[in-house]
Coordinates of all heavy atoms in Angstrom, one line a residue:
M1 N 3.0 -5.5 16.0 CA 2.5 -4.1 15.8 C 1.2 -4.2 15.0 O 1.0 -5.0 14.1 CB 3.5 -3.4 14.9 CG 3.2 -2.0 14.7 SD 4.5 -1.1 13.9 CE 3.8 -0.8 12.3
A2 N 0.2 -3.4 15.4 CA -1.1 -3.4 14.8 C -1.0 -2.7 13.5 O -0.1 -1.9 13.2 CB -2.1 -2.7 15.7
D3 N -1.9 -3.0 12.6 CA -2.0 -2.4 11.3 C -2.3 -0.9 11.5 O -3.1 -0.5 12.3 CB -3.0 -3.0 10.4 CG -2.6 -4.3 9.9 OD1 -1.4 -4.6 9.8 OD2 -3.5 -5.1 9.5
P4 N -1.7 0.0 10.7 CA -1.9 1.4 10.8 C -3.3 1.8 10.3 O -3.9 1.0 9.6 CB -0.9 2.1 10.0 CG -0.5 1.0 9.0 CD -0.7 -0.3 9.7
K5 N -3.8 2.9 10.8 CA -5.1 3.4 10.3 C -5.0 3.9 8.9 O -4.2 4.9 8.7 CB -5.6 4.5 11.3 CG -6.9 5.1 10.9 CD -8.1 4.2 11.2 CE -9.4 4.9 10.9 NZ -10.5 4.0 10.9
L6 N -5.6 3.3 7.9 CA -5.5 3.7 6.5 C -6.6 4.6 6.2 O -7.8 4.3 6.5 CB -5.5 2.4 5.6 CG -4.4 1.4 5.8 CD1 -4.6 0.2 4.9 CD2 -3.0 2.0 5.5
T7 N -6.3 5.7 5.5 CA -7.3 6.6 5.0 C -7.8 6.0 3.6 O -7.3 5.1 3.1 CB -6.7 8.0 4.7 OG1 -5.7 7.9 3.7 CG2 -6.1 8.6 6.0
L8 N -8.8 6.7 3.2 CA -9.4 6.3 1.9 C -8.4 6.4 0.8 O -8.3 5.5 -0.1 CB -10.6 7.1 1.6 CG -11.4 6.8 0.3 CD1 -12.0 5.3 0.4 CD2 -12.6 7.7 0.1
W9 N -7.6 7.4 0.8 CA -6.5 7.6 -0.2 C -5.5 6.5 -0.1 O -5.1 5.9 -1.2 CB -5.8 8.9 0.0 CG -4.7 9.2 -1.0 CD1 -3.4 9.2 -0.7 CD2 -4.8 9.4 -2.4 NE1 -2.7 9.4 -1.9 CE2 -3.6 9.6 -2.9 CE3 -5.9 9.5 -3.2 CZ2 -3.3 9.8 -4.2 CZ3 -5.7 9.7 -4.6 CH2 -4.4 9.9 -5.1
D10 N -5.1 6.1 1.1 CA -4.2 4.9 1.2 C -4.7 3.7 0.7 O -4.0 2.9 0.0 CB -3.8 4.7 2.7 CG -3.1 5.9 3.3 OD1 -2.3 6.6 2.6 OD2 -3.2 6.1 4.6
K11 N -6.0 3.4 0.9 CA -6.7 2.2 0.4 C -6.7 2.2 -1.1 O -6.5 1.2 -1.7 CB -8.1 2.1 1.0 CG -8.0 1.8 2.5 CD -9.4 1.7 3.1 CE -9.4 1.5 4.6 NZ -10.7 1.5 5.2
A12 N -7.0 3.4 -1.7 CA -7.0 3.5 -3.1 C -5.6 3.3 -3.7 O -5.5 2.6 -4.8 CB -7.5 4.9 -3.5
R13 N -4.6 3.8 -3.1 CA -3.2 3.5 -3.6 C -2.9 2.0 -3.5 O -2.3 1.5 -4.5 CB -2.2 4.3 -2.7 CG -2.2 5.8 -3.0 CD -1.4 6.6 -2.0 NE 0.0 6.1 -2.2 CZ 1.0 6.5 -1.3 NH1 0.7 7.2 -0.2 NH2 2.2 6.1 -1.5
I14 N -3.3 1.4 -2.5 CA -3.0 -0.1 -2.3 C -3.8 -0.8 -3.4 O -3.3 -1.8 -4.0 CB -3.3 -0.6 -0.9 CG1 -2.3 0.0 0.1 CG2 -3.3 -2.1 -0.9 CD1 -2.6 -0.3 1.5
A15 N -5.0 -0.4 -3.6 CA -5.8 -1.1 -4.7 C -5.2 -0.9 -6.0 O -5.2 -1.9 -6.8 CB -7.3 -0.6 -4.7
A16 N -4.7 0.2 -6.3 CA -4.0 0.5 -7.6 C -2.8 -0.4 -7.8 O -2.5 -0.9 -8.8 CB -3.7 2.0 -7.8
I17 N -2.0 -0.4 -6.7 CA -0.8 -1.2 -6.7 C -1.1 -2.7 -6.9 O -0.5 -3.4 -7.7 CB 0.0 -1.1 -5.4 CG1 0.6 0.4 -5.3 CG2 1.2 -2.1 -5.3 CD1 1.1 0.8 -3.9
E18 N -2.1 -3.2 -6.2 CA -2.5 -4.6 -6.4 C -3.1 -4.9 -7.8 O -2.8 -5.9 -8.3 CB -3.6 -5.0 -5.3 CG -3.0 -5.1 -3.9 CD -4.0 -5.4 -2.9 OE1 -5.2 -5.2 -3.1 OE2 -3.6 -5.8 -1.8
A19 N -3.8 -3.9 -8.4 CA -4.3 -4.1 -9.7 C -3.2 -4.2 -10.7 O -3.2 -5.0 -11.7 CB -5.2 -2.9 -10.1
H20 N -2.1 -3.5 -10.5 CA -0.9 -3.5 -11.3 C -0.3 -4.9 -11.2 O 0.1 -5.5 -12.2 CB 0.1 -2.4 -10.9 CG 1.3 -2.4 -11.8 ND1 1.3 -2.0 -13.1 CD2 2.6 -2.8 -11.5 CE1 2.5 -2.1 -13.6 NE2 3.3 -2.5 -12.6
G21 N -0.3 -5.4 -10.0 CA 0.3 -6.8 -9.7 C -0.5 -7.9 -10.4 O 0.0 -8.8 -10.9
V22 N -1.8 -7.7 -10.4 CA -2.7 -8.7 -11.0 C -2.5 -8.7 -12.5 O -2.4 -9.8 -13.2 CB -4.2 -8.4 -10.7 CG1 -5.1 -9.2 -11.6 CG2 -4.5 -8.7 -9.2
K23 N -2.3 -7.5 -13.1 CA -2.0 -7.4 -14.5 C -0.7 -8.1 -14.9 O -0.6 -8.8 -15.9 CB -2.0 -5.9 -14.9 CG -2.2 -5.6 -16.3 CD -2.4 -4.2 -16.5 CE -1.3 -3.5 -17.1 NZ -1.5 -2.1 -17.4
R24 N 0.3 -7.9 -14.0 CA 1.6 -8.6 -14.3 C 1.5 -10.1 -14.1 O 2.1 -10.9 -14.8 CB 2.6 -8.0 -13.4 CG 3.0 -6.6 -13.8 CD 3.9 -5.9 -12.9 NE 5.1 -6.7 -12.5 CZ 6.0 -6.3 -11.6 NH1 5.8 -5.1 -11.1 NH2 7.0 -7.0 -11.3
A25 N 0.7 -10.5 -13.1 CA 0.5 -12.0 -12.9 C -0.2 -12.6 -14.1 O 0.1 -13.8 -14.4 CB -0.3 -12.2 -11.6
A26 N -1.1 -11.9 -14.7 CA -1.8 -12.5 -15.9 C -0.8 -12.6 -17.0 O -1.0 -13.5 -17.9 CB -2.9 -11.5 -16.3
A27 N 0.3 -11.8 -17.0 CA 1.3 -11.9 -18.0 C 2.3 -13.0 -17.7 O 3.2 -13.2 -18.5 CB 2.0 -10.6 -18.2
G28 N 2.2 -13.6 -16.6 CA 3.0 -14.8 -16.3 C 4.1 -14.5 -15.3 O 5.0 -15.3 -15.0
I29 N 4.2 -13.3 -14.7 CA 5.2 -12.9 -13.7 C 4.7 -13.4 -12.4 O 3.7 -12.8 -11.9 CB 5.5 -11.4 -13.7 CG1 6.0 -11.0 -15.1 CG2 6.5 -11.1 -12.7 CD1 6.1 -9.5 -15.3
E30 N 5.3 -14.4 -11.8 CA 4.8 -15.0 -10.5 C 5.3 -14.3 -9.3 O 4.6 -14.0 -8.4 CB 5.2 -16.5 -10.5 CG 4.5 -17.3 -11.5 CD 3.0 -17.3 -11.4 OE1 2.5 -17.3 -10.2 OE2 2.3 -17.2 -12.4
T31 N 6.6 -14.0 -9.2 CA 7.2 -13.4 -8.0 C 7.2 -11.9 -8.2 O 7.8 -11.4 -9.2 CB 8.6 -13.9 -7.7 OG1 9.4 -13.7 -8.8 CG2 8.5 -15.4 -7.4
Q32 N 6.7 -11.1 -7.3 CA 6.6 -9.7 -7.5 C 7.0 -9.0 -6.1 O 6.1 -8.4 -5.5 CB 5.2 -9.2 -7.9 CG 4.8 -9.9 -9.2 CD 3.4 -9.4 -9.6 OE1 2.9 -8.4 -9.3 NE2 2.7 -10.3 -10.4
P33 N 8.2 -9.1 -5.7 CA 8.6 -8.5 -4.4 C 8.5 -6.9 -4.5 O 8.3 -6.3 -3.4 CB 10.0 -8.9 -4.2 CG 10.5 -9.3 -5.6 CD 9.3 -9.7 -6.3
D34 N 8.6 -6.3 -5.6 CA 8.4 -4.9 -5.7 C 7.0 -4.4 -5.3 O 6.8 -3.4 -4.7 CB 8.8 -4.3 -7.1 CG 8.0 -4.9 -8.2 OD1 7.7 -6.2 -8.1 OD2 7.7 -4.2 -9.2
I35 N 6.0 -5.2 -5.7 CA 4.6 -4.9 -5.3 C 4.5 -4.9 -3.8 O 3.9 -4.0 -3.2 CB 3.6 -5.8 -6.0 CG1 3.7 -5.7 -7.6 CG2 2.2 -5.6 -5.6 CD1 3.3 -4.4 -8.2
D36 N 5.0 -6.0 -3.2 CA 4.9 -6.1 -1.8 C 5.6 -4.9 -1.1 O 5.1 -4.4 -0.1 CB 5.6 -7.4 -1.3 CG 4.8 -8.6 -1.8 OD1 3.6 -8.5 -2.1 OD2 5.5 -9.7 -2.0
R37 N 6.8 -4.5 -1.6 CA 7.5 -3.4 -1.0 C 6.7 -2.1 -1.1 O 6.7 -1.3 -0.2 CB 8.9 -3.2 -1.7 CG 9.9 -4.2 -1.2 CD 11.3 -3.7 -1.7 NE 11.4 -3.6 -3.1 CZ 11.8 -4.5 -4.0 NH1 12.1 -5.7 -3.5 NH2 11.8 -4.3 -5.3
R38 N 6.1 -1.9 -2.3 CA 5.3 -0.6 -2.4 C 4.1 -0.6 -1.5 O 3.8 0.5 -0.9 CB 4.8 -0.5 -3.9 CG 5.9 -0.2 -4.8 CD 5.5 -0.3 -6.3 NE 4.5 0.6 -6.6 CZ 3.8 0.6 -7.7 NH1 4.0 -0.3 -8.7 NH2 2.9 1.6 -8.0
I39 N 3.5 -1.7 -1.3 CA 2.3 -1.8 -0.3 C 2.8 -1.5 1.1 O 2.2 -0.8 1.9 CB 1.6 -3.1 -0.4 CG1 0.9 -3.2 -1.8 CG2 0.6 -3.3 0.7 CD1 0.2 -4.6 -2.1
E40 N 3.9 -2.1 1.5 CA 4.5 -1.9 2.8 C 4.9 -0.5 3.0 O 4.8 0.1 4.1 CB 5.7 -2.8 3.1 CG 5.3 -4.3 3.3 CD 4.4 -4.5 4.4 OE1 4.6 -3.9 5.5 OE2 3.4 -5.2 4.2
R41 N 5.4 0.2 2.0 CA 5.8 1.6 2.1 C 4.5 2.5 2.3 O 4.6 3.4 3.2 CB 6.4 2.1 0.8 CG 7.0 3.4 0.9 CD 7.8 3.8 -0.4 NE 7.8 2.7 -1.3 CZ 8.2 2.8 -2.6 NH1 8.6 4.0 -3.1 NH2 8.2 1.8 -3.4
V42 N 3.4 2.2 1.7 CA 2.2 2.9 1.9 C 1.7 2.7 3.4 O 1.4 3.7 4.1 CB 1.0 2.5 1.0 CG1 -0.3 3.1 1.4 CG2 1.4 2.9 -0.4
K43 N 1.8 1.5 3.9 CA 1.4 1.2 5.3 C 2.4 1.9 6.3 O 2.0 2.4 7.3 CB 1.4 -0.3 5.5 CG 0.2 -0.9 4.8 CD 0.2 -2.4 5.1 CE -1.0 -3.1 4.4 NZ -1.1 -4.5 4.7
A44 N 3.7 2.0 5.9 CA 4.7 2.6 6.8 C 4.4 4.1 6.9 O 4.5 4.7 7.9 CB 6.1 2.3 6.3
Q45 N 4.1 4.7 5.7 CA 3.7 6.1 5.7 C 2.5 6.4 6.6 O 2.4 7.4 7.3 CB 3.5 6.6 4.3 CG 4.8 6.7 3.5 CD 4.6 7.0 2.0 OE1 3.5 6.9 1.5 NE2 5.6 7.3 1.3
A46 N 1.5 5.5 6.5 CA 0.3 5.7 7.3 C 0.6 5.6 8.8 O 0.0 6.3 9.6 CB -0.7 4.7 6.9
A47 N 1.5 4.7 9.1 CA 1.9 4.5 10.5 C 2.6 5.7 11.1 O 2.5 6.0 12.3 CB 2.8 3.3 10.7
K48 N 3.4 6.4 10.3 CA 4.1 7.6 10.7 C 3.2 8.8 10.9 O 3.5 9.7 11.7 CB 5.1 8.0 9.7 CG 6.3 7.1 9.6 CD 7.3 7.5 8.6 CE 8.4 6.6 8.4 NZ 9.3 7.0 7.3
R49 N 2.0 8.8 10.2 CA 1.1 9.9 10.3 C 0.5 10.0 11.7 O 0.1 9.0 12.3 CB 0.0 9.7 9.3 CG -0.8 10.9 9.0 CD -1.9 10.6 7.9 NE -1.4 9.9 6.8 CZ -1.9 8.8 6.3 NH1 -2.8 8.2 6.9 NH2 -1.3 8.2 5.2
K50 N 0.4 11.2 12.3 CA -0.2 11.4 13.6 C -1.7 11.3 13.5 O -2.2 11.9 12.6 CB 0.3 12.7 14.2 CG 1.7 12.8 14.5 CD 2.1 14.1 15.2 CE 3.5 14.1 15.5 NZ 3.9 15.4 16.2
P51 N -2.3 10.7 14.4 CA -3.8 10.7 14.4 C -4.4 12.1 14.7 O -3.8 12.9 15.5 CB -4.2 9.7 15.5 CG -3.0 9.6 16.4 CD -1.8 9.9 15.5
K52 N -5.5 12.4 14.1 CA -6.1 13.7 14.3 C -6.8 13.8 15.7 O -7.4 12.8 16.1 CB -7.1 14.0 13.2 CG -6.5 14.3 11.9 CD -7.5 14.6 10.9 CE -6.9 14.9 9.5 NZ -7.9 15.2 8.5
K53 N -6.7 14.9 16.4 CA -7.3 15.0 17.6 C -8.7 15.5 17.4 O -9.0 16.4 16.5 CB -6.6 16.0 18.6 CG -5.2 15.4 19.0 CD -4.6 16.4 19.9 CE -3.2 15.8 20.3 NZ -2.5 16.7 21.3
K54 N -9.7 15.1 18.2 CA -11.1 15.5 18.1 C -11.3 16.7 18.9 O -10.8 17.0 19.9 CB -12.0 14.4 18.4 CG -11.9 13.2 17.4 CD -12.9 12.1 17.8 CE -12.8 11.0 16.8 NZ -13.7 10.0 17.1

Protein backbone atom coordinates (compact mmCIF):
# COMPACT_ATOMS: atom_id res chain seq x y z
CA MET A 1 0.00 0.00 0.00
CA ALA A 2 1.31 3.44 -0.91
CA ASP A 3 1.73 6.10 1.72
CA PRO A 4 -1.36 8.29 2.11
CA LYS A 5 -1.37 11.92 1.00
CA LEU A 6 -0.50 13.88 4.15
CA THR A 7 -1.71 17.41 4.65
CA LEU A 8 0.35 20.10 6.31
CA TRP A 9 -1.62 19.50 9.52
CA ASP A 10 -0.84 15.76 9.42
CA LYS A 11 2.85 16.47 8.94
CA ALA A 12 2.81 18.92 11.87
CA ARG A 13 1.13 16.30 14.09
CA ILE A 14 3.75 13.70 13.15
CA ALA A 15 6.56 16.19 13.81
CA ALA A 16 5.13 16.94 17.26
CA ILE A 17 4.81 13.23 18.06
CA GLU A 18 8.40 12.60 16.94
CA ALA A 19 9.65 15.55 19.00
CA HIS A 20 8.00 14.01 22.03
CA GLY A 21 9.75 10.73 21.23
CA VAL A 22 13.13 12.45 20.92
CA LYS A 23 12.62 14.07 24.31
CA ARG A 24 11.85 10.69 25.85
CA ALA A 25 14.84 9.10 24.12
CA ALA A 26 17.09 11.74 25.65
CA ALA A 27 15.73 10.67 29.03
CA GLY A 28 16.88 7.12 28.35
CA ILE A 29 13.67 5.46 27.15
CA GLU A 30 14.76 3.33 24.19
CA THR A 31 11.65 1.41 23.11
CA GLN A 32 8.65 3.59 22.33
CA PRO A 33 5.93 1.53 20.63
CA ASP A 34 3.29 4.08 21.64
CA ILE A 35 5.00 6.74 19.49
CA ASP A 36 4.96 4.37 16.51
CA ARG A 37 1.26 3.61 17.07
CA ARG A 38 0.37 7.32 17.23
CA ILE A 39 2.19 8.01 13.95
CA GLU A 40 0.48 5.05 12.27
CA ARG A 41 -2.90 6.33 13.52
CA VAL A 42 -2.29 9.73 11.87
CA LYS A 43 -1.36 7.98 8.62
CA ALA A 44 -4.43 5.72 8.82
CA GLN A 45 -6.70 8.73 9.31
CA ALA A 46 -5.12 10.38 6.28
CA ALA A 47 -5.68 7.23 4.21
CA LYS A 48 -9.39 7.22 5.11
CA ARG A 49 -9.80 10.80 3.97
CA LYS A 50 -11.29 11.16 0.51
CA PRO A 51 -9.23 13.18 -1.97
CA LYS A 52 -10.70 16.52 -3.00
CA LYS A 53 -12.03 16.75 -6.54
CA LYS A 54 -10.79 19.57 -8.72
